[in-house]
Amino acid sequence: NEKESPFVVGCYVWLKPHKKVSKLSEKVRGPFKVVDVGPHYMVEIEDILTDSRCKVHTDRLFIVKGKHSIEELKETAASSQGEYIIEFIVDHRGETEEEIEFRVRGRGYDAEEDTWECLQTVDDSIALDDYLKDHPSLKSVVKEK
């Protein structure tokens, strides 16, 4: 018997990090928009700046209080986004420099929060150097600068 979730489609929420963060790191991310409420306390949320989606457990969420315009929420989201540190590259897709994308895992993020990023986003990262060592055939596509 699951109790009724306070999270409903259309509400805005803050997301707590999955892992413990340092004192200087952001304590929450967001706000995000709830786009689906599933079973077992799982909620699908959407980043209001990028439209990317992920499913998270409701233990990691709390509702944004008060009435805010979407413009205010987007401004808050933009100002609260900390630096995204690429932990490692999981996968890639595409065959040319223009179309290639990399599935990246951010430090402190779960696999379900991986994002597909273009070459320019990962170009100067150590993660790309490490990935190319394991995928030498990509070196012809990813031109070294």
Side-chain angles (χ1 to χ4, degrees), residues 106-126:
R107 185 174 295 154
Y109 293 80
D110 295 327
E112 59 269 5
E113 294 175 290
D114 289 354
T115 60
W116 287 97
E117 304 292 342
C118 65
L119 177 59
Q120 291 99 334
T121 303
V122 300
D123 205 16
D124 293 324
S125 70
I126 294 170

Side-chain angles (χ1 to χ4, degrees), residues 21-82:
V21 294
S22 75
K23 287 193 271 186
L24 300 177
S25 297
E26 297 286 339
K27 302 297 184 227
V28 294
R29 293 177 25 217
F32 295 86
K33 184 177 183 178
V34 173
V35 293
D36 189 32
V37 178
H40 310 293
Y41 302 103
M42 295 301 290
V43 173
E44 185 173 11
I45 58 174
E46 179 178 82
D47 185 306
I48 61 176
L49 296 177
T50 66
D51 296 330
S52 63
R53 294 179 176 197
C54 66
K55 291 183 181 181
V56 296
H57 194 276
T58 56
D59 284 350
R60 295 183 58 204
L61 301 175
F62 59 97
I63 294 175
V64 173
K65 296 187 188 297
K67 292 204 179 278
H68 306 279
S69 70
I70 187 64
E71 290 78 20
E72 291 172 317
L73 293 171
K74 284 183 176 183
E75 189 175 310
T76 300
S79 67
S80 73
Q81 283 190 341

